[in-house]
Amino acid sequence: MRFKDVFSIIGPAMVGPSSSHTAGAVRLGRAARRLLGVQPEKAEIRLYGSFADTFRGHGTDLAVVGGILDFDTDDERIPHSLELAASLGIGIDVRPGKGLAAHPNTAEIKLVGAGRKALLKGASIGGGTIEVEQVNGFDVRFSAVYPTLLIFHADRMGMIAEITGLLSRQKMNIGSMDLDRKGRSGDALTVIESDSGFNAELLESLAAIPDVGDIRIIDWTEGSM
Amino acid sequence: MRFRTLEQLAAVCMAEQKTISQIMLEDQARESGRSAEQEQEKMSAYYQVMKAAVRKGLTESTVSRSGLTGLDAQRIMDYRNGSGGSGRSGSSSTVGSSGDMGSIGNSGTPGSPDGDEALLGGPASLALAYALAVSEVNASMGRIVATPTAGSCGIIPGVFVSAQERFVWSDEHMVAGLFCSGAIGYVIANNSFVSGAEGGCQAEVGSAIGMAAGALVELRGGTAAQAVHAVGLALKNTLGLICDPVAGLVEIPCIVRNGFGAVTALAAADMALAGVRSVIPSDEVIQVMLEVGSGMPEKHRETAKGGLARTPTGRRIMRELYGKEKDDDACGMKAARKSKLLRELPRRPKEDTQL
């Protein structure tokens, strides 16, 4: 069954006009914001395919920036997100990107803030659902439909076993998992989508694993309509 | 879920002597692992969003970002009250039986029994106006609930909120109606489709009309079998409807189709409540929608490459908005950058682009 329940038919609550070009775009921006982990100082957004063709009329630019401000899909401040970002001193540069993307509704988002950088590329695949394709140069795929954990770490033997062991000890079920590395014994990223949220104890123990770097959470399942 | 087809849904209702909405709520709670009360609360929150969208569309500016559409719902309200374009009726009343929407103010008299000026008569013209209102709120980046999509978000609120005022139904009754609509949409979506990109407008607006019509039958006390007939009757009227939005925007013809859709839902519900049957069973009509949509050319499935979007006027509008025509992909980016729209966008100093 492609549609699982009544709320995949009635819902989500969202700011219009398009579930793919607006609601999905908010979620892409918000995923980038959670990846950076702080309010950015600068945001560079490149839109591809149908996003590039129709972003003005659909408010796709406003939607992505709304997401970068950590708004939910139904936040009525989305139409004013560019002014809000300006008033917060966030430099926004949004325009069509060069070349073609695999999916017609693709956005590439670079954020800079607090001395950190975040790069996220993803597509809006319909009905407000997104698919992230790339994070900080790593090729990983996830939807953020479920609470999602991103663990940046060194590529070494036993790392995945240690991470999954800690989740198992917390009685957490892994719905899906993806990982990529930049080279043998180089930097790596593990992405885990779970059925339940991640508690502080788990995050502390994950951070204590040798060779684990930044940990980020993308989870808007709670409190979301 | 205990049902995959509308026939199975009606059979479960018959066997358990329950309504479609009761079955949907039970199965939803089982699927989600949450309580029925929690699921009702979530649906109730959605209904409040729908009512707020009706109010917003009748009282605030709904001119879209493209400038192509807006304020038609308010035109209908003025017209149906005989006040024509400029002067508006001053009396006010509340929307929704619980009165929690507050006064609509002076932009017409929603909920009033009149509206005799409209050829449709009061109730149907009110459903028309409310559906347009919500769709215009959507087009102008207001808050709506996708039912089942943003493009078809006006039909269910238009029908539900106007019927609630007319028959003085409680919010709880309306929330039950939304579960009934959701059950019908669940069957359509899983056996056919509900997005214009996949199956054309019949899949979005057509599905929403079927969902609204079936729910109205239940809300008025009809049987589950009658509700299912209403779905088939409604869907047969939108088979083949293409998705051809001008400039790819959810505006032309989407907004007026939501208005028409609300009126059609009332007609389908009336027929079913009167005992009119869909001789071709509703599940078979859903299969026809799948067949027609699957065979629909790509240019008629939300690409703005055919239909109304490619008329001389549709192409002119697209040129004015984007400085190019959408199917011109090869040189599209360059043309888009040169266009008026993009020149208006804020630019940053060059060094800022070095990440």
Side-chain angles (χ1 to χ4, degrees), chain B residues 265-297:
Chain B
L266 298 176
D270 267 341
M271 280 192 254
L273 284 163
V276 177
R277 300 162 58 84
S278 178
V279 174
I280 306 297
S282 299
D283 288 310
E284 293 180 29
V285 180
I286 292 170
Q287 288 306 306
V288 177
M289 187 166 101
L290 177 66
E291 174 206 317
V292 171
S294 301
M296 203 174 268

Side-chain angles (χ1 to χ4, degrees), chain B residues 193-221:
Chain B
F193 21 49
V194 291
S195 79
E198 289 177 300
C201 191
Q202 57 166 5
E204 293 202 25
V205 161
S207 298
I209 297 170
M211 291 159 62
L216 263 185
V217 169
E218 179 179 308
L219 290 172
R220 287 284 282 156

Side-chain angles (χ1 to χ4, degrees), chain A residues 2 14 56 74 110 225, chain B residues 46 65 143-144 198 355:
Chain A
R2 292 198 302 158
M14 54 170 278
R56 182 78 182 186
D74 68 337
K110 290 180 189 174
M225 291 177 78
Chain B
Y46 281 167
R65 203 178 178 216
R143 198 163 175 247
I144 55 91
E198 289 177 300
L355 285 183

Side-chain angles (χ1 to χ4, degrees), chain A residues 41 69-71 80 84 108 119 130 132 143 145 152 203 221:
Chain A
E41 290 142 23
L69 296 174
D70 208 22
F71 295 167
H80 314 292
L84 286 166
E108 198 172 36
L119 169 63
I130 62 167
V132 176
S143 66
V145 167
F152 295 90
L203 297 176
T221 53

Side-chain angles (χ1 to χ4, degrees), chain A residues 1-22 42-44 46-50 52-63 74-76 78-79 82 91-100 109-112 117-118 224-225, chain B residues 1 3-4 24 28 31 39 42-43 45-46 49-50 56 65-66 138-139 141-148 150-151 156 178-179 181-183 185-186 189-190 192-194 198 211 247-251 322 324 326 329 333 336-337 341-342 344-348 352-355:
Chain A
M1 293 298 215
R2 292 198 302 158
F3 295 83
K4 308 283 184 212
D5 72 345
V6 75
F7 294 116
S8 57
I9 303 297
I10 306 290
M14 54 170 278
V15 163
S18 163
S19 49
S20 57
H21 286 66
T22 316
K42 293 175 189 170
E44 188 178 307
R46 295 292 174 267
L47 303 171
Y48 298 90
S50 175
D53 286 337
T54 63
F55 75 92
R56 182 78 182 186
H58 281 127
T60 306
D61 50 346
L62 302 173
D74 68 337
D75 196 309
E76 289 189 298
I78 287 169
L82 281 170
I92 303 284
D93 175 18
V94 53
R95 65 177 94 162
K98 287 178 185 168
L100 295 171
I109 304 163
K110 290 180 189 174
L111 301 180
V112 179
K117 292 174 189 174
S224 163
M225 291 177 78
Chain B
M1 307 291 167
F3 57 93
R4 200 197 155 91
M24 183 74 250
Q28 171 66 24
E31 181 71 27
E39 300 300 62
K42 182 169 179 174
M43 195 65 95
Y46 281 167
V49 173
M50 293 180 202
K56 185 170 183 171
R65 203 178 178 216
S66 70
N138 178 59
M141 298 196 76
R143 198 163 175 247
I144 55 91
V145 180
T147 51
I156 286 175
L178 288 176
F179 277 99
S181 284
Y186 171 85
N190 282 313
S192 181
F193 21 49
V194 291
E198 289 177 300
M211 291 159 62
L249 305 177
V250 190
E251 298 186 38
Y322 301 123
K324 70 181 188 80
K326 199 181 170 221
D329 279 335
M333 299 303 180
R337 263 193 296 281
L341 289 171
L342 294 174
E344 290 170 6
L345 291 170
R347 294 291 172 90
R348 293 192 304 138
D352 287 349
T353 63
Q354 307 299 319
L355 285 183

Side-chain angles (χ1 to χ4, degrees), chain B:
Chain B
M1 307 291 167
R2 280 171 287 178
F3 57 93
R4 200 197 155 91
T5 65
L6 293 177
E7 190 183 357
Q8 289 167 355
L9 178 60
V12 174
C13 290
M14 179 82 95
E16 303 204 3
Q17 289 296 299
K18 286 176 182 164
T19 60
I20 292 174
S21 55
Q22 285 170 327
I23 298 297
M24 183 74 250
L25 179 59
E26 286 173 10
D27 284 20
Q28 171 66 24
R30 194 176 305 128
E31 181 71 27
S32 69
R34 288 150 50 96
S35 70
E37 291 72 27
Q38 284 175 309
E39 300 300 62
Q40 280 172 314
E41 274 171 33
K42 182 169 179 174
M43 195 65 95
S44 180
Y46 281 167
Y47 192 58
Q48 301 311 317
V49 173
M50 293 180 202
K51 288 204 291 187
V54 170
R55 177 174 55 187
K56 185 170 183 171
L58 296 180
T59 56
E60 295 179 24
S61 172
T62 51
V63 176
S64 66
R65 203 178 178 216
S66 70
L68 292 172
T69 54
L71 305 175
D72 285 345
Q74 295 177 24
R75 286 186 183 96
I76 299 292
M77 291 306 287
D78 287 343
Y79 160 77
R80 68 189 290 282
N81 294 322
S83 52
S86 53
R88 285 185 184 160
S89 170
S91 71
S92 65
S93 66
T94 57
V95 172
S97 66
S98 60
D100 56 351
M101 276 191 63
S103 171
I104 285 289
N106 58 3
S107 79
T109 54
S112 66
D114 55 336
D116 293 342
E117 277 298 311
L119 296 170
L120 282 171
S125 66
L126 199 66
L128 166 68
Y130 285 9
L132 292 176
V134 176
S135 279
E136 289 181 323
V137 165
N138 178 59
S140 56
M141 298 196 76
R143 198 163 175 247
I144 55 91
V145 180
T147 51
T149 63
S152 57
C153 70
I155 293 164
I156 286 175
V159 167
F160 272 51
V161 178
S162 61
Q164 180 179 25
E165 292 170 20
R166 181 181 178 193
F167 298 111
V168 199
W169 286 330
S170 68
D171 275 7
E172 291 70 32
H173 195 54
M174 306 317 294
V175 168
L178 288 176
F179 277 99
C180 179
S181 284
I184 294 162
Y186 171 85
V187 170
I188 296 172
N190 282 313
N191 288 290
S192 181
F193 21 49
V194 291
S195 79
E198 289 177 300
C201 191
Q202 57 166 5
E204 293 202 25
V205 161
S207 298
I209 297 170
M211 291 159 62
L216 263 185
V217 169
E218 179 179 308
L219 290 172
R220 287 284 282 156
T223 65
Q226 285 177 316
V228 167
H229 279 297
V231 178
L233 291 166
L235 286 181
K236 280 188 285 191
N237 193 49
T238 47
L239 285 176
L241 198 62
I242 61 173
C243 179
D244 52 350
V246 171
L249 305 177
V250 190
E251 298 186 38
I252 303 167
C254 321
I255 294 170
V256 294
R257 282 189 189 159
N258 274 265
F260 284 121
V263 176
T264 305
L266 298 176
D270 267 341
M271 280 192 254
L273 284 163
V276 177
R277 300 162 58 84
S278 178
V279 174
I280 306 297
S282 299
D283 288 310
E284 293 180 29
V285 180
I286 292 170
Q287 288 306 306
V288 177
M289 187 166 101
L290 177 66
E291 174 206 317
V292 171
S294 301
M296 203 174 268
E298 194 221 350
K299 67 178 180 178
H300 293 150
R301 284 185 284 116
E302 210 175 345
T303 55
K305 290 177 182 174
L308 296 169
R310 293 295 291 172
T311 55
T313 301
R315 290 158 71 159
R316 176 176 59 74
I317 288 170
M318 190 180 284
R319 274 196 305 276
E320 285 170 7
L321 283 175
Y322 301 123
K324 70 181 188 80
E325 294 186 17
K326 199 181 170 221
D327 58 351
D328 193 12
D329 279 335
C331 58
M333 299 303 180
K334 193 179 276 182
R337 263 193 296 281
K338 284 181 184 165
S339 79
K340 176 171 161 278
L341 289 171
L342 294 174
R343 283 201 305 274
E344 290 170 6
L345 291 170
R347 294 291 172 90
R348 293 192 304 138
K350 198 168 187 181
E351 65 268 25
D352 287 349
T353 63
Q354 307 299 319
L355 285 183

